[in-house]
Amino acid sequence: MTDNLPSLRQALADLSEHGGSTDMYERSLRRSRHLQRRRAVTTAAAAAVVTIGGTIALVNANRPGPPAPAAVRPPVAGVAPSSPAYPECPPARTLEGLADLPKDWSFSRVRCAENWAAATPEGPGIGDGLYFFKYTPGTGWRYDGQGSALDCKKDLGLTKPAPFCTS
Amino acid sequence: MSNSIDDLFCEFVRTRSAALLRTAFLLTGDRHLAEDLVQDALARTHRSRRRLDDPGHFEAYTRRAMYHQHVSWWRRRKVAESLPGELADVVQPGSDHTYRVDLKLALHHALAQLTQRQRAVLVLRFFEDRSEAEAADLLRCSVGTVKSQTSKALTRMREIAPSLLSTVMEEA
């Protein structure tokens, strides 16, 4: 067995000393507050969009006249001519077969945006992360990685906010 | 003792930052990235501090967050890893520490050639002395994956820096 590797262990211990001893307290508090603010802003923005959208929908519903033209209707995945075709959201079972899930884990929920799918894992010792899958024409869905607190635009390249991103 | 959860968190960060930074440096290979990684992990712990029913769980939660973030795909951007400048000052040919410094440099170079997950399993198994089961739990993968990643990592290191896998610690 390769467990006893004194040179490697010693080198790891020596190398780790270069991590420094910076006091991380203030930094971590700042970061925590920043994340909290970002989440609050996102939530407020989402609430505002829903409120405004609801108001407009209500006004339009009560206004006499012809129905809104198709061009202003919300785009349907794979149908809107101005946007690229996106795949259907895959079932959890399909994605479970693509990820190297620990024993007794499964996906309880799958949410999709454009060519990304985010699966929520369920099982013993679970954390707050999601499993991400990317769809590519020709190869289909592929496991991409895990994470949480994602920035939709920066991290996934999405053009619009998605429910599994924090911004 | 009437320590609030905030006081306990503060005490945890002040006493354990250095240890967390040591692990983070091995994972990232760069001091600034290590600080970013620890900062993010501590921020997550801070946000969850009221849910953690025991302050003793702070460190476990923070380390789990560190490994999770490290292995996560959006951190896989390639960043030029760098050792702090003082290492060059330590290298003095003929000194008692030359051999260990050589090993350290070889390790830094070798770790940079590994995948994030291979690197993480090496740190967990040979720096933190975690069992395969504990490593699997922290990395959220199976024990079989930990075994195979460890094997691949060691094979790769044997090619890059065979001296690191010596079964005896050579004297300078």
Side-chain angles (χ1 to χ4, degrees):
Chain A
M1 188 55 201
T2 52
D3 276 3
N4 189 23
L5 295 168
S7 297
L8 177 60
R9 289 174 189 276
Q10 183 63 59
L12 281 166
D14 288 346
L15 185 62
S16 74
E17 296 298 327
H18 291 276
S21 56
T22 310
D23 184 351
M24 301 299 296
Y25 183 62
E26 293 302 330
R27 282 185 61 168
S28 59
L29 284 194
R30 271 202 304 274
R31 177 75 177 144
S32 174
R33 288 181 195 127
H34 170 76
L35 291 174
Q36 218 159 12
R37 272 200 305 274
R38 204 168 69 172
R39 179 162 289 191
V41 167
T42 309
T43 309
V49 167
V50 169
T51 307
I52 293 168
T55 308
I56 291 171
L58 198 63
V59 168
N60 282 341
N62 292 334
R63 181 187 297 166
V72 299
R73 285 182 187 150
V76 178
V79 172
S82 58
S83 60
Y86 296 124
E88 295 227 345
C89 206
R93 179 82 36 122
T94 303
L95 300 182
E96 283 165 8
L98 301 176
D100 183 20
L101 283 178
K103 192 173 172 291
D104 298 331
W105 281 35
S106 59
F107 290 138
S108 58
R109 181 155 80 141
V110 178
R111 289 172 293 175
C112 294
E114 299 181 11
N115 57 337
W116 286 92
T120 309
E122 191 175 57
I126 207 82
D128 62 350
L130 300 172
Y131 280 67
F132 287 89
F133 300 84
K134 188 175 185 182
Y135 180 87
T136 312
T139 53
W141 289 102
R142 287 279 182 274
Y143 170 68
D144 198 273
Q146 299 166 39
S148 62
L150 287 171
D151 181 318
C152 262
K153 191 174 175 188
K154 201 174 91 185
D155 298 324
L156 301 179
L158 292 175
T159 53
K160 294 173 188 168
F164 46 78
C165 297
T166 53
S167 61
Chain B
M1 290 284 284
S2 60
N3 282 351
S4 69
I5 195 78
D6 289 324
D7 293 336
L8 293 169
F9 179 76
C10 175
E11 187 186 345
F12 158 68
V13 176
R14 294 248 147 92
T15 55
R16 299 301 296 158
S17 281
L20 295 169
L21 284 167
R22 282 199 289 275
T23 300
F25 183 79
L26 291 177
L27 291 174
T28 61
D30 178 273
R31 183 178 283 184
H32 298 295
L33 286 179
E35 288 178 3
D36 286 350
L37 185 62
V38 172
Q39 173 189 291
D40 278 4
L42 285 174
R44 282 172 179 232
T45 308
H46 181 254
R47 286 167 59 200
S48 307
R49 66 195 184 285
R50 297 190 198 286
R51 278 193 288 124
L52 298 169
D53 51 359
D54 184 339
H57 295 163
F58 285 164
E59 178 145 0
Y61 188 90
T62 307
R63 284 188 182 272
R64 185 182 290 273
M66 272 170 57
Y67 282 103
H68 184 198
Q69 281 177 278
H70 169 70
V71 175
S72 295
W73 68 269
W74 70 88
R75 285 191 170 271
R76 288 184 194 150
R77 62 186 191 265
K78 200 66 189 168
V79 178
E81 297 182 3
S82 60
L83 274 175
E86 68 262 29
L87 187 69
D89 302 333
V90 179
V91 184
Q92 296 164 2
S95 76
D96 288 346
H97 298 297
T98 304
Y99 175 72
R100 278 172 63 170
V101 172
D102 285 346
L103 275 187
K104 189 161 61 175
L105 286 169
L107 175 64
H108 189 253
H109 171 70
L111 285 176
Q113 314 296 312
L114 304 180
T115 66
Q116 305 292 68
R117 190 166 278 203
Q118 287 171 357
R119 199 166 170 146
V121 293
L122 283 191
V123 173
L124 281 165
R125 300 282 287 120
F126 300 103
F127 178 66
E128 291 199 16
D129 267 330
R130 304 273 190 166
S131 68
E132 287 169 338
E134 287 171 332
D137 181 48
L138 274 163
L139 295 175
R140 294 181 188 170
C141 63
S142 65
V143 171
T145 302
V146 170
K147 284 181 181 175
S148 67
Q149 292 292 315
T150 307
S151 171
K152 283 177 188 167
L154 292 176
T155 302
R156 186 86 179 103
M157 294 199 81
R158 195 166 282 117
E159 293 165 5
I160 306 165
S163 57
L164 283 168
L165 300 189
S166 163
T167 52
V168 289
M169 186 67 193
E170 292 179 33
E171 296 302 323

